[in-house]
Amino acid sequence: MNPQSTDIDIAIVGGAMVGASLALALDNLGRQLKRPLKLALIEAHAPGTGQSGFDARAIAVAHGSRHLLQQLGIWPKLAPLGTAIHDIHVSDRGHFGMTEINSRSFNLDALGVVVELERVGQTLFAALAKIDIALFCPAELIRIDSETQGHTLTLGDGQQLRCQLLVAADGAHSKVRQLQQQPQQISAFGQSAIIANVASKRPHQGMAWERFTEHGPIALLPMADSNGQPRLSLVWAMPEHAVAERLALSDNDFLDALQQAFGHRAGQFTAVGSRHSYPLALSYMPRPAFHRTVYVGNAAQTLHPIAGQGFNLGLRDISGLLAVLTPVLQQGGDVGAVTVIHDYLACRENDRRQTINNIEFLVRGFSNQYWPLVAGRNLGLRLLSWLPPLKVPVAHRAMGWHGREACMALARSR
């Protein structure tokens, strides 16, 4: 397709992991149904610039999400970049509560896979270069003019695109949401997170750690070794006032503080990479859709990283969108019709609500030192260890095996 064309079926704003995955999946869907789609992807920053959604962080792709990416034809491109999570260890610092979830208990090769976003960005953009899509990067969306049959999008260089359906995948500070003046609810946790990669003397052996402390959770994800050193991806949540102090520490002092807060279960920390921080809050759109527009991923909701569910929930957003678009494409219908928007909202409602509520419960419940709550949550963790069948629903949520049924059922009914 000529990139200068102004007539587009679906325009995606935001080309980070969710947006790029959606573009590749839509191209694949169009070819499968023998109805090629005219697609456009608009991204403000190219991978590797240090400003894109593909930054130095690592994220966990849950087992269910990996399966979904496989179905979409995307996982084979990402599989070589992943480090398997075989086990998850959860503990409450200073208390008796702890439990483990093991992949072998579910006859799985892994509970999830950790990928580094910068490498993922390069891989996905290389794949985008091979499909029939109008890719605008770097490019900024500056205006949306809405009409009955679609939108006219104006970019910073004056180019214009007309689309039937607009998908906002442009993150927590969505420009689409700002231009459309759509409401967003924000619940502050009074915490910020420091993210960094750390090295440890002890090989991680595929173990992920979730350590709840009185100041906030600490998460460590296994990563590929670097120069023979075992590495872990760190997310350390703490009160906002403590962040500047931690960032100002020397590397050795920072590692000492982390060791004291986390303990020695993951071994002795020996090195730390660049440290970054960002405020933690739950933000979500009560209605992640508008006229011929749907919002996916962090544009629709931004979660606390406590359970690593942000990308996995965003991937279920795009899975839901694909499910409701499939019968429309099969019938040659309008991809931005009111029924598409309403069906998307309906199929995503329960999963979004349950996931958001669960995350907020974890954050509030494990950051509270009220003794009956401390006793209750530690007993709960112990019960998971003593009665393994109780782990099944917890593990299914951690692995992303939920939230897709409503969309698939709705698609089958069309």
Side-chain angles (χ1 to χ4, degrees):
M1 180 178 117
N2 184 345
Q4 299 302 314
S5 172
T6 59
D7 294 316
I8 301 295
D9 293 319
I10 301 175
I12 304 166
V13 179
M17 198 162 176
V18 169
S21 296
L22 175 59
L24 292 168
L26 284 170
D27 175 75
N28 186 48
L29 178 63
R31 286 187 284 105
Q32 286 181 350
L33 299 178
K34 295 182 170 52
R35 185 191 162 176
L37 287 164
K38 294 182 179 180
L39 303 172
L41 180 64
I42 303 163
E43 168 57 38
H45 305 287
T49 62
Q51 295 178 294
S52 71
F54 297 114
D55 57 22
R57 292 177 300 163
I59 64 167
V61 179
H63 185 272
S65 297
R66 186 180 65 169
H67 179 75
L68 179 56
L69 288 169
Q70 182 74 42
Q71 290 181 322
L72 299 178
I74 297 172
W75 184 247
K77 302 175 179 63
L78 303 182
L81 309 178
T83 301
I85 299 175
H86 297 300
D87 308 288
I88 301 173
H89 186 281
V90 183
S91 61
D92 193 4
R93 183 178 184 271
H95 303 287
F96 64 88
M98 68 179 66
T99 193
E100 280 191 19
I101 299 174
N102 311 111
S103 58
R104 61 183 177 274
S105 300
F106 297 91
N107 296 315
L108 298 175
D109 61 335
L111 298 171
V113 177
V114 179
V115 294
E116 297 177 55
L117 289 179
E118 188 170 349
R119 297 179 67 195
V120 167
Q122 295 166 357
T123 301
L124 291 182
F125 265 62
L128 288 170
K130 298 177 181 178
I131 69 171
D132 194 11
I133 187 171
L135 180 59
F136 298 88
C137 180
E140 182 183 3
L141 175 68
I142 62 170
R143 180 174 175 142
I144 302 173
D145 293 299
S146 301
E147 303 163 357
T148 303
Q149 297 303 314
H151 304 286
T152 298
L153 312 180
T154 302
L155 307 184
D157 62 0
Q159 291 188 81
Q160 291 188 325
L161 304 171
R162 292 193 301 272
C163 64
Q164 294 180 22
L165 175 67
L166 173 61
V167 181
D170 51 345
H173 305 290
S174 170
K175 187 65 176 288
V176 175
R177 187 176 59 243
Q178 295 173 30
L179 291 172
Q180 291 186 336
Q181 299 182 342
Q182 291 302 290
Q184 178 189 34
Q185 295 186 12
I186 300 176
S187 177
F189 294 118
Q191 295 180 345
S192 289
I194 293 178
I195 58 173
N197 297 333
V198 298
S200 174
K201 279 187 177 180
R202 181 187 302 169
H204 53 66
Q205 298 181 318
M207 177 72 80
W209 309 84
E210 190 82 56
R211 179 81 156 146
F212 294 98
T213 79
E214 64 272 28
H215 302 300
I218 302 173
L220 290 168
L221 297 176
M223 299 176 68
D225 291 358
S226 177
N227 297 321
Q229 284 190 307
R231 288 192 306 156
L232 297 158
S233 174
L234 166 70
V235 179
W236 186 2
M238 62 188 69
E240 293 172 342
H241 63 79
V243 171
E245 176 186 341
R246 293 286 191 272
L247 290 177
L249 294 175
S250 68
D251 286 356
N252 287 337
D253 288 343
F254 178 84
L255 291 171
D256 287 343
L258 174 61
Q259 198 84 66
Q260 183 177 1
F262 184 83
H264 287 80
R265 283 190 172 89
Q268 181 181 347
F269 302 124
T270 58
V272 60
S274 299
R275 288 169 262 165
H276 306 277
S277 68
Y278 60 95
L280 298 178
L282 168 65
S283 63
Y284 66 98
M285 296 179 66
R287 190 176 188 276
F290 188 56
H291 169 69
R292 290 185 172 271
T293 306
V294 296
Y295 292 78
V296 298
N298 285 345
Q301 64 274 317
T302 303
L303 307 180
H304 192 290
I306 188 172
Q309 290 300 307
F311 168 70
N312 298 294
L313 182 59
L315 189 59
R316 297 199 297 274
D317 287 343
I318 70 175
S319 174
L321 178 58
L322 292 168
V324 301
L325 282 175
T326 296
V328 175
L329 294 173
Q330 289 171 330
Q331 298 161 17
D334 179 356
V335 295
V338 171
T339 53
V340 171
I341 306 303
H342 287 176
D343 286 352
Y344 174 75
L345 288 172
C347 83
R348 295 302 301 135
E349 181 179 3
N350 288 338
D351 182 28
R352 291 183 74 237
R353 183 179 66 251
Q354 291 175 13
T355 302
I356 288 169
N357 289 343
N358 288 342
I359 295 296
E360 187 153 25
F361 170 79
L362 281 174
V363 175
R364 307 291 186 192
F366 278 89
S367 297
N368 195 309
Q369 296 306 301
Y370 180 53
W371 73 262
L373 191 57
V374 172
R377 74 192 184 216
N378 279 268
L379 179 59
L381 288 174
R382 276 300 181 188
L383 285 174
L384 290 176
S385 294
W386 294 334
L387 301 172
L390 294 179
K391 293 183 183 180
V392 174
V394 175
H396 279 186
R397 282 205 161 265
M399 292 186 289
W401 284 107
H402 66 287
R404 295 163 54 192
E405 297 81 3
C407 295
M408 302 308 297
L410 190 148
R412 287 193 295 268
S413 70
R414 292 299 181 188

